[in-house]
Amino acid sequence: MGEFIAVIIITILAVVSPGADFAIVTKNSYLYGRRIGFFTALGISLGVLIHVAYTLIALAFVIAYTPQFLNIVKYIGAGYLIYIGYKTFTQKPVIDMSLLTKINSFQALKYGFFTNALNPKTTLFVISTYTQIVSLSTPKIILLGYGLFMSFAHFFWFSLVSILFSSMILRQKMLAKQVHINRIIGSILCVLGITLFFAKFQ
């Protein structure tokens, strides 16, 4: 029971802490609306399952024989965050919403998925949870349950974020200041990417 409570608390704290996932859901929600924000959140939750899968299947092998794999993930993820941060920072304001280049549900899901799947912060969160909090004697079905909970927690929280930032009143206010908002979001993503690029896995 203590292990279960620890996993819940750590997951909630990790999910609600601002980061790349929050930034991309906020951007897609206020620019494209609730449905696109929702699918972005779904993509993020699926990305979490990637971290859970390789952690459960091959963590011991990766750490023992190919520790450089974690660095490869780190560099790819950091580069991706810097890239989407730059694209967001330099995005031109949309005066006429009818002229906004639309993205479909699959594209939104893809953005969310890769933002999370390539995020070293999530890598560290999942790996540290399974190696420092969860006991080696915990049944595999319980370990899988923890992973599904992590995924659901991400989906639930970021769905709420998409609902909030796609509300008509808030969305109109954010669209009126979209240049400043895009620069703030873009800067945050770039800083996160640069920070993660130089971070060291312990």
Side-chain angles (χ1 to χ4, degrees):
M1 181 58 69
E3 177 183 286
F4 178 68
I5 294 175
V7 170
I8 290 178
I9 293 175
I10 292 174
T11 299
I12 292 175
L13 292 176
V15 170
V16 302
S17 62
D21 294 339
F22 185 88
I24 199 68
V25 172
T26 299
K27 174 193 171 186
N28 282 356
S29 297
Y30 90 80
L31 273 182
Y32 304 106
R34 184 168 302 173
R35 183 171 64 88
I36 295 302
F38 175 85
F39 276 96
T40 305
L42 179 60
I44 288 171
S45 69
L46 294 177
V48 174
L49 293 179
I50 296 298
H51 298 286
V52 172
Y54 68 66
T55 298
L56 292 180
I57 294 173
L59 179 60
F61 176 83
V62 168
I63 291 178
Y65 300 103
T66 57
Q68 65 272 21
F69 172 77
L70 296 179
N71 281 322
I72 293 174
V73 172
K74 181 186 73 171
Y75 292 132
I76 293 176
Y80 182 74
L81 290 182
I82 294 172
Y83 169 74
I84 62 175
Y86 171 78
K87 296 288 287 185
T88 300
F89 187 92
T90 58
Q91 183 172 342
K92 296 181 179 180
V94 180
I95 306 300
D96 185 351
M97 292 301 294
S98 65
L99 300 178
L100 178 66
T101 302
K102 303 293 184 181
I103 64 173
N104 57 38
S105 300
F106 177 75
Q107 289 173 312
L109 187 145
K110 182 178 67 175
Y111 283 135
F113 176 81
F114 283 110
T115 297
N116 188 276
L118 296 176
N119 190 345
K121 178 183 175 182
T122 309
T123 300
L124 291 175
F125 157 63
V126 175
I127 290 178
S128 63
T129 299
Y130 277 105
T131 57
Q132 298 180 35
I133 304 300
V134 178
S135 171
L136 293 175
S137 61
T138 301
K140 291 183 179 180
I141 188 67
I142 300 298
L143 295 178
L144 179 59
Y146 289 157
L148 293 176
F149 171 76
M150 293 175 188
S151 176
F152 175 77
H154 279 75
F155 174 69
F156 180 78
W157 169 250
F158 289 113
S159 291
L160 293 180
V161 173
S162 70
I163 292 173
L164 173 64
F165 287 101
S166 63
S167 64
M168 188 58 64
I169 296 177
L170 185 57
R171 189 182 180 198
Q172 289 176 346
K173 290 182 178 180
M174 295 182 73
L175 285 172
K177 300 179 179 180
Q178 58 186 293
V179 173
H180 300 294
I181 293 174
N182 284 345
R183 287 179 178 175
I184 291 173
I185 292 176
S187 297
I188 291 173
L189 290 171
C190 286
V191 169
L192 284 172
I194 293 172
T195 301
L196 290 170
F197 188 86
F198 290 103
K200 293 183 179 181
F201 282 116
Q202 299 297 325

